[in-house]
């Protein structure tokens, strides 16, 4: 009997109804152990409509969870292709879209129940994120059950909850039973319920276990649930107890074949009695579980450590006896039992295989955990295997755990062992990865040291793949520090060797480095190399490399003021990153989009985007610096509070990297802020710091901006930098013709830069130039610059020839960041609600044909192939919807 669960049940059924209408949803069902989550879901399954198919899967409390455990449980009932891909160990980029396709094309409503997601592996969490972001356009429902007391601190599921669309997510927190409900249950069992609520606090499992205890019948309430479970076990037959004890060492469901393999075919009758007694439950596929996890744990605690080890060994041996194809899908389970049996040799054999399987599925945290289990027995491992274990663990941990000190230590251990074994290729690989680790920590000198060591280690050997990638790593570091000559030299070496070895990935990596260097140093050939790097990355499915190509190429387009190219690359890159759930690259690209909008004079749009990025999930410093810098600079230009403080934060975060691209733009912005505030000392401080840097490595665009601010800020000594590399649009202002510079900025679409150039005009044309500058600046809401222009006019005695100062709030026209019209914004808001074209037409009182055109226009401006991609963009860029018209 299900008491006091009418509200949660109604919520589940309502979500299922919405899914049946094509508006899928997610339900997160939380509560303490024993609160009745599974019982509620079973009741929901019984009451759901006939066209609603409910599939169940479980996460299990293995030492290291099996990858995609819930999907493995339900795959064969869900879709044959998905089941085949799972058996093949297909990567998420193949498996997840296949699952999505199966859900899209299946008739009726599909409910996926993922039980106990507090034990979920990383691949399952990635799947939840993937489906959750797309579910609103599916006839599907995702139900996640979790123990609330497990979701504390930095539990991965707490981050996933933030990644799920709020509009699609419903949370149900199950409460304990009331005293009245506990009393009602006690009376139905013919028991006295006076003390029952006080002892159980209304936990349904505790209540049911205590009511099932004979000691309770005698008027004695046991002191703990363990006592209640043990009391029931003591009254069972030896055969029933043996079944339960054997099952207790398996955290999760147990297949009938396994029980038969361990206890013989005659055990079926005993199992049936355990099910009839309510001790076990059997699912639709015949798999058995304890009625509650707490009962399993209590049963397990009765067993001596030696008996537990013996049972674990028997289970592992039974699974190993399966046909090879089946046994290979049970690797995580086998590692768990081998480790629990303290069989080091078996763990060393199985854990690397399980780790590789988990890594293919994107479960890098679990891969690292498997390898960490093997590292407990590393003393039993030969040196080559030990070195590989350290190396493999460091790689997986670097992707999932970010425990840099421990990872660096493991890399050094691997290097030591590989040296002793005479494997310079392996030494080079680990040195290269050490370089990357130190770069991530902003430790530039160490990064370059280990990159150079990686080359030296293998450069005297016959050329191989490690030397090619070591060359490219050196090229990348030089490129990041704007040492373009060196970056190109090392990159071309890498490309030549990669081509000889047919190493496509190294070619893609090196082409990016060389292309970026050529572009930023205004040399020919950069575009062709970047286009090839991007095309190859897309062709071969190198998602990270493709995102990197979009990032570097788009940054160049913004910096070089090629706004048409920037719009295309940013639009394509953001969609690509959203499609593949590459959150960090997506947010970096959004930072560049904010920079583009700032350059275009669309300050409010730039502020909206940059502020939105900073509010999203915390990012590595490098990834959010573009947005942080734009946010600070835009607020300075708008005259809003906090701008200089944000820029100072960006400087403090950028300085440890030692990279000019992280430092120069921020110091330029602080110089501009000081100039607007007429704080000459502060501006000179920033300019002096910039001049002390290696100006020979500045990009031409940065050098030109520095030279202009040097002149505007009234620095007395000449700038110690070559002027030949300064772009023409800056050079003409420096040469005494700021009006020509302003015309060029206007032609390129940078109204703020044009206005600042006009503020430098002197002589007879000053009044007209300042009047034009003020008009532009006030239209942009750039109050500080407009006020400074008026002060200049006053000092020159021409203030009367300027347009009258505006009174009251500015009324600059605000655009949608993607250029949507008012009507398109209304359509977008309704698309986000999951409304069909017909429903949109009815809501807005427009013709179906008009709405069809407007929906197509929205998809086009989002660069989206379908509504789902629009929703993915809205998930990562919620400001696109918040600026939409109601």
């Amino acid at each position: 009997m299900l008491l006091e669960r009418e509200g949660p049940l109604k919520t589940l059924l309502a979500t299922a109804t919405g899914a049946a209408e094509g508006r899928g949803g997610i339900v997160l069902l939380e509560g303490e152990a024993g609160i009745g989550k599974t019982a509620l879901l079973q009741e929901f399954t019984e009451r759901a409509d006939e066209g609603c198919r409910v599939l169940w899967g479980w996460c299990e409390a293995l030492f290291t969870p099996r990858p995609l455990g819930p999907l493995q449980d339900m795959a064969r009932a869900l879709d044959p292709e998905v089941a085949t891909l799972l058996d093949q160990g297909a990567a998420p980029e193949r498996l997840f879209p296949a699952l999505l396709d199966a859900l899209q094309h299946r008739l009726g409503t599909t409910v996926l129940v993922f039980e106990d997601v507090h034990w979920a592996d990383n691949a399952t969490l990635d799947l939840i994120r993937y489906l959750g972001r797309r579910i609103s356009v599916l006839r599907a429902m995702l139900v996640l059950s979790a123990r609330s007391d497990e979701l504390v601190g930095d539990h991965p599921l707490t981050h996933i909850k933030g990644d799920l669309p709020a509009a699609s997510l419903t949370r149900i927190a199950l409460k304990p039973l009331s005293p009245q409900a506990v009393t009602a249950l006690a009376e139905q069992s013919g028991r006295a319920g006076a003390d029952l609520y006080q002892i159980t606090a209304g936990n349904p499992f505790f209540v049911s276990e205590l009511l099932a205890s004979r000691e309770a019948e005698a008027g004695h309430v046991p002191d703990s649930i363990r006592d209640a479970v043990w009391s029931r076990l003591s009254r069972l037959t030896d055969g029933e107890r043996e079944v339960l004890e054997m099952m207790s060492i398996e955290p999760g469901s147990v297949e009938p074949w396994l029980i038969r393999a361990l206890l013989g075919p005659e055990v079926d009758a005993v199992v049936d009695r355990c099910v009839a007694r309510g001790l076990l439950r059997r699912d639709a596929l015949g798999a058995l579980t304890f009625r509650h996890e707490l009962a399993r744990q209590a049963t397990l605690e009765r067993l001596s450590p030696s008996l537990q080890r013996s049972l674990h060994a028997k289970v592992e041996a039974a699974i190993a006896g399966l046909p090879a194809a089946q046994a290979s899908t049970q690797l995580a389970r086998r590692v768990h039992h081998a480790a629990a049996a303290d069989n080091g040799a078996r763990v060393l054999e199985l854990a690397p295989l399980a780790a590789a399987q988990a890594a293919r599925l994107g479960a890098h945290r679990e891969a690292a955990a498997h390898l960490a289990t093997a590292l407990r027995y590393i003393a039993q491992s030969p040196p080559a295997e030990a070195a590989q274990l350290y190396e493999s663990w460091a790689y997986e941990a670097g992707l999932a755990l970010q425990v840099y000190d421990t990872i660096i230590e493991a890399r050094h251990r691997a290097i030591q062992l590989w040296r002793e074994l005479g494997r310079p290729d392996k030494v080079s690989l680990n040195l290269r990865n050490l370089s990357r680790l130190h770069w991530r920590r902003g430790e530039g000198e160490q990064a370059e040291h280990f990159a150079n060591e990686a080359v030296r280690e293998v450069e005297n050997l016959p050329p191989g793949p490690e030397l090619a990638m070591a060359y490219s790593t050196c090229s990348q570091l030089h490129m990041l520090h704007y040492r373009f000559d060196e970056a190109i030299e090392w990159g071309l070496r890498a490309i030549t060797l990669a081509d000889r070895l047919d190493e496509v990935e190294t070619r893609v990596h090196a082409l990016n480095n060389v292309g970026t260097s050529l572009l930023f140093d205004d040399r020919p050939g950069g575009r062709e190399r970047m286009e090839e790097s991007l095309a190859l990355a897309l062709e071969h499915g190198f998602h990270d490399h493709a995102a990197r190509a979009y990032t570097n190429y788009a940054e160049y387009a913004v910096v070089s003021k090629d706004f048409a190219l920037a719009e295309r690359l940013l639009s394509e890159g953001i969609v690509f990153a959203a499609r593949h759930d590459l959150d960090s690259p997506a947010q970096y690209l959004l930072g560049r989009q904010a920079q583009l909008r700032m350059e275009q004079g669309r300050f409010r749009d730039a502020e909206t985007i940059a502020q939105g990025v900073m509010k999203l999930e915390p990012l590595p410093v490098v990834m959010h610096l573009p947005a942080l810098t734009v946010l600070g600079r835009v607020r300075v230009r708008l005259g809003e509070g906090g701008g200089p403080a944000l820029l100072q934060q960006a400087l403090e975060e950028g300085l440890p990297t030692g990279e000019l691209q992280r430092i120069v733009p921020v110091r330029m912005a602080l110089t501009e802020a000081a100039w607007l505030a007429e704080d000459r000392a502060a501006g000179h401080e920033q300019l002096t710091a910039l001049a002390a840097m290696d100006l020979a490595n500045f990009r031409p665009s940065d050098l030109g901006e520095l030279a202009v601010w040097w002149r505007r800020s009234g620095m007395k000594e000449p700038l110690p930098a070559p002027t030949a590399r300064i772009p023409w649009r800056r050079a003409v202002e420096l040469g005494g013709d700021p009006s020509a510079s302003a015309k060029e900025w206007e032609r390129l679409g940078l109204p703020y830069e044009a206005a600042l150039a006009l503020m430098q005009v002197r002589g007879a044309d000053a009044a007209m130039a300042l009047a034009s500058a003020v008009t532009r600046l006030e239209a942009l809401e750039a109050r500080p610059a407009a006020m400074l222009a008026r002060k200049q006019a006053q000092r020159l005695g021409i203030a009367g020839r300027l347009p009258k100062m505006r009174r009251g709030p500015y009324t600059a026209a605000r655009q949608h960041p993607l250029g949507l019209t008012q009507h398109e914004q209304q359509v977008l808001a309704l698309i986000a609600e999951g409304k069909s074209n017909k429903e949109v037409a009815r809501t807005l009182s427009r013709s179906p044909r008009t709405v069809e055109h407007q929906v197509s226009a929205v998809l086009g401006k989002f660069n989206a192939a379908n509504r789902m991609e629009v929703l993915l963009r809205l998930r990562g860029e919620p400001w696109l919807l918040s600026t939409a018209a109601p």
Side-chain angles (χ1 to χ4, degrees):
M1 179 180 179
L2 205 61
L3 294 178
E4 300 184 334
R5 296 295 185 252
E6 295 83 1
L9 182 60
K10 183 178 179 181
T11 299
L12 286 165
L13 292 170
T15 306
T17 299
E21 297 170 353
R23 300 189 306 277
I26 315 153
V27 175
L28 176 59
L29 181 61
E30 297 177 281
E32 65 183 29
I35 202 66
K37 298 182 290 294
T38 300
L40 174 63
L41 292 175
Q42 289 171 334
E43 183 73 14
F44 160 71
T45 302
E46 292 178 8
R47 294 207 199 176
D49 292 339
E50 290 184 6
C52 188
R53 190 175 58 135
V54 183
L55 302 176
W56 292 65
W58 287 266
C59 303
E60 298 163 353
L62 298 171
F63 291 147
T64 302
R66 56 186 178 135
L68 297 173
L71 186 58
Q72 292 191 42
D73 290 335
M74 63 179 68
R76 279 165 180 76
L78 176 63
D79 183 77
E81 183 184 351
V82 172
T84 300
L85 288 172
L86 265 177
D87 289 342
Q88 295 172 348
E93 53 262 32
R94 290 182 60 206
L95 179 61
F96 291 3
L99 172 60
L100 184 66
D101 186 66
L103 292 173
Q104 284 179 302
H105 293 96
R106 185 168 274 290
L107 297 176
T109 307
T110 303
V111 179
L112 307 179
V113 177
F114 286 15
E115 281 264 52
D116 296 325
V117 291
H118 50 275
W119 288 323
D121 62 286
N122 264 27
T124 297
L125 294 175
D126 285 342
L127 176 59
I128 291 169
R129 183 191 289 110
Y130 179 88
L131 286 179
R133 291 177 170 183
R134 294 157 175 81
I135 202 156
S136 62
V137 294
L138 299 175
R139 290 191 303 277
M141 176 178 169
L142 182 60
V143 182
L144 313 171
S145 75
R147 291 186 183 177
S148 52
D149 49 345
E150 296 273 359
L151 305 182
V152 295
D154 60 350
H155 191 286
L157 189 62
T158 61
H159 302 299
I160 296 298
K161 287 190 289 187
D163 285 340
L164 297 175
S168 302
L169 177 63
T170 301
R171 298 179 65 173
I172 298 175
L174 288 187
K175 304 296 183 185
L177 299 177
S178 67
Q180 294 79 10
V182 172
T183 299
L185 287 172
E187 290 175 351
Q188 288 175 10
S189 300
R191 318 283 173 82
D195 298 327
L196 198 55
Y197 180 80
Q198 182 179 354
I199 294 172
T200 63
N203 183 291
F205 173 70
F206 294 172
V207 172
S208 61
E209 287 300 314
L210 290 172
L211 290 176
S213 168
R214 285 187 180 175
E215 293 182 18
E217 288 181 352
H220 173 71
V221 179
D223 295 329
S224 68
I225 296 302
R226 183 192 297 114
D227 291 342
V229 175
W230 287 13
S231 174
R232 295 190 71 185
L233 288 172
S234 67
R235 300 192 301 276
L236 301 177
T237 66
D238 290 343
E240 290 168 342
R241 218 168 15 251
E242 186 178 21
V243 167
L244 296 176
E245 289 173 352
M246 177 59 74
M247 284 190 57
S248 72
I249 62 146
E250 182 69 60
S253 59
V254 180
E255 305 89 335
W257 69 261
L258 179 56
I259 298 179
R260 295 189 197 105
L262 295 169
L263 299 177
E266 65 279 0
V267 78
D268 286 350
V270 181
V271 169
D272 287 342
R273 289 203 302 272
C274 291
V275 172
R277 285 178 176 269
L279 299 166
L280 301 177
R281 65 171 182 245
R282 184 182 279 120
D283 68 17
L285 298 177
L288 295 155
T289 56
F290 276 80
R291 191 161 58 84
H292 197 281
E293 172 64 13
L294 292 179
R296 184 192 72 81
Q297 293 176 9
T299 304
L300 182 62
E301 289 180 14
R302 282 172 50 96
L303 309 183
S304 67
S306 60
L307 179 55
Q308 288 187 37
R309 288 193 296 272
S310 173
L311 293 176
H312 280 291
K314 289 179 181 179
V315 171
E316 196 281 319
I319 299 173
L322 290 169
Q326 287 179 266
S328 68
T329 65
Q330 302 281 335
L331 284 170
R333 196 173 173 189
R334 293 176 66 190
V335 172
H336 170 82
H337 290 297
D342 200 24
N343 187 339
R346 201 65 157 163
V347 170
L348 289 169
E349 173 194 350
L350 297 171
L353 299 175
Q357 185 182 74
R360 284 195 299 272
L361 294 170
H364 297 290
R365 183 184 297 270
E366 285 63 43
H370 283 307
L371 295 165
T373 301
L375 286 172
R376 286 161 32 193
Y377 301 97
I378 199 161
Q380 302 177 28
S381 184
E385 291 181 17
Q388 189 60 55
L389 274 176
Y390 281 125
E391 177 184 310
S392 299
W393 178 84
Y395 176 78
E396 297 297 339
L399 292 174
L401 303 181
Q402 312 300 320
V403 286
Y404 287 113
D405 288 340
T406 310
I407 296 169
I408 287 171
E409 181 184 353
R411 288 286 181 190
H412 281 292
R413 287 179 180 270
I415 288 169
Q416 180 183 351
L417 288 167
W418 287 128
R419 281 196 194 283
E420 293 170 358
L421 291 163
R423 290 290 305 275
D425 57 327
K426 284 290 199 174
V427 173
S428 178
L429 180 150
N430 282 279
L431 287 168
R432 179 163 50 81
N433 280 280
L434 273 178
S435 171
R436 191 69 176 166
L437 287 165
H438 284 288
W439 176 79
R440 286 179 182 173
R441 297 210 304 189
E443 298 165 354
E445 288 187 15
Q446 294 97 317
E448 295 200 63
H449 167 74
F450 286 116
N452 292 330
E453 285 293 308
V455 172
R456 280 192 283 271
E457 195 67 38
V458 289
E459 62 184 346
N460 294 323
L461 299 176
E466 277 307 321
L467 180 60
M469 188 52 88
Y471 283 161
S472 194
T473 299
C474 287
S475 173
Q476 182 181 16
L477 285 171
H478 285 303
M479 179 268 290
L480 289 168
H481 286 85
Y482 291 174
R483 296 189 292 267
F484 297 129
D485 288 337
E486 294 92 333
I488 293 166
E489 179 185 350
W490 284 99
L492 291 177
R493 285 190 207 173
I495 292 168
T496 300
L497 184 51
D499 289 348
R500 192 191 315 169
L501 300 170
D502 197 26
E503 289 286 329
V504 177
E505 187 172 5
T506 302
R507 178 177 178 82
V508 169
H509 189 267
L511 280 170
N512 191 320
N513 302 330
V514 174
T516 301
S517 300
L518 291 171
L519 287 171
F520 279 120
D521 208 31
D522 282 354
R523 303 190 202 181
R527 288 198 179 205
E528 294 79 2
R529 286 174 171 83
M530 288 302 295
E531 294 282 0
E532 183 183 352
S533 177
L534 177 58
L536 282 174
L538 293 172
E539 177 187 347
H540 291 274
F542 300 145
H543 295 163
D544 288 339
H545 291 305
R548 181 170 169 254
Y550 276 123
T551 295
N552 288 348
Y553 201 5
E555 181 179 356
Y556 158 75
V558 174
V559 168
S560 65
K561 319 308 179 191
D562 188 343
F563 289 169
L565 178 63
E567 293 282 10
R568 176 176 71 82
L569 291 170
L570 287 168
S571 179
E572 289 180 9
I574 291 167
V575 168
F576 178 86
R579 183 181 296 143
H580 295 286
D581 292 326
L582 301 171
D583 291 346
S584 290
Q587 292 172 33
Y588 189 90
L589 285 163
L590 287 167
R592 292 302 177 198
Q593 189 182 56
Q595 183 182 351
L596 173 61
R597 295 291 177 257
M598 178 184 72
E599 300 276 25
Q600 293 170 324
R602 294 166 59 177
F603 294 154
R604 292 297 179 188
D605 288 338
E607 181 184 35
T608 296
I609 297 169
Q611 192 170 20
V613 171
M614 296 305 297
K615 286 181 178 179
L616 294 173
E617 186 71 20
L619 294 171
V621 166
V622 168
M623 291 301 178
H624 78 215
L625 270 176
L628 179 60
T629 304
V630 168
L631 186 59
R633 196 163 204 171
V634 165
R635 287 191 173 168
V636 165
R637 291 180 176 182
L638 291 169
E640 296 181 349
L646 289 169
L647 291 173
Q648 194 60 43
Q649 178 189 341
L651 182 61
E652 291 169 3
E653 292 180 358
L655 283 172
T657 70
E659 296 177 16
L660 298 182
Q661 63 175 316
R662 319 291 176 205
I663 301 168
V664 172
V666 185
R667 287 202 183 277
M668 295 287 195
L670 286 166
T671 301
E672 179 187 338
W675 180 75
L676 290 171
E678 297 188 278
D679 186 346
R680 179 166 292 204
H684 287 193
E685 179 185 351
Q686 296 300 329
L687 291 167
T688 300
L690 285 166
M693 301 173 79
D694 188 354
L695 298 181
N697 286 332
F698 271 42
R699 297 178 296 192
S701 57
D702 291 333
L703 194 60
E705 188 175 2
L706 172 59
V708 162
W709 282 114
W710 193 273
R711 169 74 63 82
R712 292 174 182 173
S713 299
M715 297 292 283
K716 294 180 180 179
E717 64 279 8
L719 177 66
T723 58
R725 296 172 58 233
I726 293 176
W728 177 83
R729 52 185 171 266
R730 296 291 189 186
V732 290
E733 179 180 329
L734 295 170
D737 191 1
S739 293
S741 178
K743 288 178 182 176
E744 178 64 8
W745 289 124
E746 197 69 42
R747 184 186 71 81
L748 291 170
L750 287 86
Y752 185 78
E753 288 290 351
L756 294 192
L758 288 171
M759 289 174 65
Q760 315 311 312
V761 174
R762 297 294 181 264
D765 295 329
M768 184 179 298
L770 283 173
S772 180
V774 166
T775 300
R776 285 173 168 81
L777 293 168
E778 290 186 344
L780 296 173
E781 297 186 75
R783 297 175 181 84
M787 290 300 296
L788 183 58
R790 290 186 180 278
K791 286 181 182 179
Q792 287 183 2
Q794 200 167 25
R795 290 166 189 156
L796 294 171
I798 54 175
R801 299 171 64 181
L802 265 58
K804 289 184 179 181
M805 186 178 295
R806 287 187 170 188
R807 301 293 181 187
Y810 287 72
T811 57
R814 188 185 183 99
Q815 294 178 262
H816 187 275
L818 296 184
L820 270 63
T821 67
Q822 190 93 347
H823 285 172
E824 290 164 356
Q825 292 176 51
Q826 292 172 335
V827 169
L828 173 63
L830 295 174
I831 288 175
E833 294 177 10
K835 293 188 180 298
S836 67
N837 284 11
K838 287 183 179 179
E839 290 172 320
V840 172
R842 188 165 54 250
T843 302
L844 297 177
S845 300
R846 296 176 193 163
S847 73
R849 183 176 294 276
T850 298
V851 166
E852 183 178 335
H853 287 311
Q854 290 171 342
V855 169
S856 296
V858 170
L859 295 179
K861 291 178 180 179
F862 271 77
N863 198 28
N866 49 49
R867 285 167 168 253
M868 185 176 292
E869 290 193 353
V870 171
L871 295 173
L872 289 175
R873 289 284 303 272
L874 293 176
R875 168 61 202 150
E877 304 164 68
W879 52 87
L880 295 178
L881 185 60
S882 63
T883 56

